[in-house]
Amino acid sequence: MTIGIDPTVDFACKRLLGSPDHPAITLHFLNAVLGGEPPITTVQILNPIIGKSFDDDKASILDVLATDDHGRFIDIEIQTTLPAGLSERLTYYAASQLVEQLGEGDSYRELRPSIGICILDAILFRASPALHLDFQLRALSGELLTDCLQIHLLELPKYEPDADNGVIADPILQWIHFFRFAATSSADDLRQILPDPVFSEATGVLEMIARNPEEKRFYESRLKMQRDEKARLEAAEERGEAIGRVRVLQSLAGVAESTIEDLRMRSSEELAAMEVALKHQLRERS
């Protein structure tokens, strides 16, 4: 029987990585992403999700804010779409987390690294085959200026599992596989591919959400919100493409091009009708 709970839903992700009841899961994930050098042995969740500390408020903060035993500040979030300005927003949050450390009279030497980790169920950097992208302040020749500002992206859709379904050794690939396939796998399937005990614990968290009526209800409300947002962005993208096609066809037909603002005021049906009429006009001219 499949688990049926998708860890890319923000609520499930925070249950996995932002609960003080499951520090081993958070530690394993952070060591996988940050390379384990130096190894993280303890982590404190600064905004834990505990008990009934969730509701149906759309503004609920479901990022995970944490600090580790090296004093680093870490923000973990899940994104299932590519909203406009995602790169800039990730940079802004990491930079804000850095700036907020200093008070009046504090020394810059007291700054600890600010790290943003985004688990992205979409592809932002299509030209790169890398599943894990590590952004830091470096010279073109490779010299590291400082480790005080870091952003890590895990681009889930780039991952393709091996055909033999063998044990996955790489910690990053273990987590990417878990986020991509846990919902459609059974607990036994995951144990065979991900034998580390931390993934049995992570699987148990998802199964707990499925069994708890209140948490399942909240999970489903967040899942609906994410699906609605994805549909909205896809519709906006399709509408933008339709506007672009109309303007190209108008140019080819030698008619005055409508402004983008004018076309945005038209319905999808009107844009489709304009496209059909312009194509007919071009065919007749040929």
Side-chain angles (χ1 to χ4, degrees):
M1 182 177 178
T2 60
I3 295 170
I5 299 294
D6 187 347
T8 66
V9 174
D10 53 10
F11 173 69
C13 183
K14 189 160 186 178
R15 269 293 187 216
L16 286 166
L17 301 177
S19 171
D21 297 330
H22 303 283
I25 299 176
T26 311
L27 283 171
H28 189 282
F29 175 79
L30 291 178
N31 278 312
V33 174
L34 302 181
E37 293 294 338
I40 303 171
T41 57
T42 60
V43 63
Q44 179 185 0
I45 307 299
L46 301 178
N47 62 339
I49 186 166
I50 53 177
K52 296 184 178 181
S53 61
F54 55 90
D55 53 36
D56 288 324
D57 182 1
K58 292 184 178 181
S60 296
I61 298 173
L62 290 171
D63 288 10
V64 176
L65 303 178
T67 184
D68 67 8
D69 48 333
H70 306 290
R72 297 179 294 190
F73 291 88
I74 305 164
D75 175 85
I76 308 169
E77 69 170 274
I78 190 91
Q79 277 287 339
T80 57
T81 59
L82 286 176
L86 176 61
S87 299
E88 291 78 9
R89 185 172 64 76
L90 293 173
T91 306
Y92 176 81
Y93 283 169
S96 297
Q97 194 170 239
L98 184 68
V99 171
E100 288 167 1
Q101 295 178 40
L102 290 187
E104 185 175 353
D106 291 342
S107 169
Y108 293 118
R109 289 192 295 270
E110 297 175 20
L111 283 173
R112 306 306 305 154
S114 172
I115 303 170
I117 300 174
C118 180
I119 305 162
L120 184 60
D121 195 16
I123 299 177
L124 183 59
F125 294 93
R126 295 191 175 275
S128 171
L131 286 76
H132 173 208
L133 295 106
D134 176 2
F135 298 95
Q136 299 192 38
L137 296 175
R138 295 182 182 274
L140 291 176
S141 51
E143 293 85 359
L144 179 66
L145 176 65
T146 174
D147 65 353
C148 274
L149 194 63
Q150 304 177 32
I151 296 173
H152 295 259
L153 281 182
L154 303 181
E155 295 191 321
L156 304 184
K158 290 180 177 178
Y159 172 71
E160 292 293 339
D162 291 336
D164 62 3
N165 289 323
V167 172
I168 302 171
D170 187 311
I172 282 285
L173 294 184
Q174 290 173 347
W175 276 106
I176 291 176
H177 184 96
F178 184 83
F179 275 104
R180 281 213 67 191
F181 297 111
T184 56
S185 302
S186 68
D188 287 340
D189 292 337
L190 291 175
R191 273 193 291 270
Q192 290 178 11
I193 297 175
L194 306 171
D196 191 303
V198 76
F199 290 103
S200 292
E201 185 176 352
T203 299
V205 171
L206 299 185
E207 291 176 322
M208 177 190 66
I209 295 172
R211 291 193 301 267
N212 184 307
E214 187 175 6
E215 294 203 1
K216 181 71 178 299
R217 176 186 61 80
F218 188 75
Y219 162 85
E220 289 175 346
S221 74
R222 299 298 300 190
L223 174 61
K224 181 180 183 300
M225 286 173 58
Q226 289 184 195
R227 286 175 173 170
D228 289 348
E229 175 64 10
K230 185 174 183 179
R232 186 189 67 78
L233 289 175
E234 288 175 349
E237 183 178 352
E238 291 173 1
R239 185 171 176 78
E241 291 173 353
I243 289 172
R245 289 195 301 270
V246 168
R247 284 171 58 84
V248 168
L249 289 169
Q250 287 176 331
S251 176
L252 292 173
V255 302
E257 287 187 34
S258 303
T259 66
I260 293 177
E261 290 73 19
D262 175 61
L263 293 174
R264 282 176 177 164
M265 298 295 292
R266 297 178 179 270
S267 68
S268 298
E269 291 75 15
E270 288 175 314
L271 290 173
M274 290 177 71
E275 188 174 346
V276 169
L278 287 164
K279 286 179 178 178
H280 179 72
Q281 186 175 340
L282 285 169
R283 281 196 299 269
E284 285 194 334
R285 178 178 297 179
S286 300

